[in-house]
Amino acid sequence: MRIKTVIIALSLIMGMGAHAQEEQKNDADNNGYFTMEPTKAVKSTEQAFSINFSPGWITSKVSTPQEECSWQLGMGYEVKYRCLFRRGYGFGLSYAHNSTSYSGGYDLGQNFILGSFVYGGQIGKQWYATVETGLGYANYTDGGEKVNDGLGSKYGLGIEYQLGSIFGIGLDVAYHTAIFSKDDNFNYYYNDSNRANGFHRLSINIGLRLYL
């Protein structure tokens, strides 16, 4: 009789303990504790578009029939795409245009279509940094009419602040160079240091980033 009473008491205690554990588990689930959320998948690639406003200076000494000057300020814009892989290496494509006015009504325009090698990554919770070097096509215009084609290159360093998973703002410092063949019928807009049709431009690119 005494043994039967002990067995019944142990059964009641074990049943109450199991019920208490079940209630604790339910409460924990309802409150968000002890729950396992799926781990977010790491992106194998990071892609972004950027649109930039690009004030900058032609650092070359440029000669026109009216003047010779260097560090002439001009305005421009840049549209760029980049794709970075998991290790931070990747590539980019960009189109950049700028226009610089000189006295006498001369308006020097430059266009660059470049492919780039890019390296970048996060340097903080919402900060991103990139470096790039590019090579491709360049031309320059006088008053909107194309004058000559040549080889263009670019070196850039940028930093971005990510406003969220989709949008960000950024600032790049870029150095563009362009080399053109000689044109005997066109005797101005040349780099006076070596009498070659070539220009060097330092620009600050400020704009929006769209992450894909």
Side-chain angles (χ1 to χ4, degrees):
M1 184 69 178
R2 185 176 298 176
I3 293 174
K4 184 182 291 186
T5 303
V6 171
I7 292 173
I8 292 172
L10 289 175
S11 299
L12 290 173
I13 292 171
M14 292 175 64
M16 291 174 63
H19 181 70
Q21 288 181 356
E22 183 66 22
E23 287 185 348
Q24 184 179 8
K25 179 178 181 299
N26 291 336
D27 290 340
D29 291 341
N30 291 335
N31 293 328
Y33 301 116
F34 310 116
T35 57
M36 296 295 292
E37 294 184 359
T39 302
K40 292 182 179 180
V42 177
K43 286 185 177 181
S44 59
T45 59
E46 183 274 328
Q47 301 178 77
F49 282 100
S50 63
I51 302 174
N52 295 303
F53 169 65
S54 306
W57 299 264
I58 293 181
T59 61
S60 312
K61 182 183 286 186
V62 175
S63 297
T64 74
Q66 303 293 327
E67 62 181 344
E68 288 188 357
C69 61
S70 58
W71 287 92
Q72 188 80 355
L73 177 65
M75 299 298 170
Y77 62 88
E78 180 186 56
V79 180
K80 184 167 58 175
Y81 165 80
R82 73 159 183 259
C83 178
L84 295 178
F85 301 101
R86 186 171 295 177
R87 294 184 180 272
Y89 297 97
F91 66 92
L93 299 171
S94 63
Y95 169 73
H97 169 79
N98 60 78
S99 180
T100 306
S101 297
Y102 294 87
S103 62
Y106 297 101
D107 186 12
L108 171 61
Q110 289 181 290
N111 298 284
F112 294 87
I113 302 174
L114 305 173
S116 299
F117 169 78
V118 185
Y119 179 76
Q122 286 189 316
I123 58 173
K125 186 176 180 180
Q126 293 174 279
W127 292 93
Y128 209 95
T130 58
V131 294
E132 66 174 303
T133 178
L135 192 68
Y137 167 80
N139 68 40
Y140 74 100
T141 63
D142 179 25
E145 296 184 6
K146 190 179 75 171
V147 176
N148 212 337
D149 304 284
L151 180 67
S153 64
K154 176 187 177 181
Y155 306 92
L157 175 64
I159 189 167
E160 302 171 10
Y161 181 76
Q162 297 175 307
L163 299 173
S165 60
I166 299 178
F167 294 104
I169 55 176
L171 182 148
D172 299 339
V173 177
Y175 188 69
H176 284 87
T177 64
I179 299 174
F180 306 102
S181 60
K182 286 292 190 71
D183 187 347
D184 294 334
N185 297 320
F186 200 78
N187 60 0
Y188 59 96
Y189 285 159
Y190 54 77
N191 180 347
D192 194 54
S193 61
N194 56 12
R195 310 303 268 190
N197 284 350
F199 306 100
H200 309 277
R201 187 174 191 268
L202 178 67
S203 63
I204 299 173
N205 306 318
I206 307 166
L208 297 174
R209 306 293 183 266
L210 174 63
Y211 304 108
L212 304 180

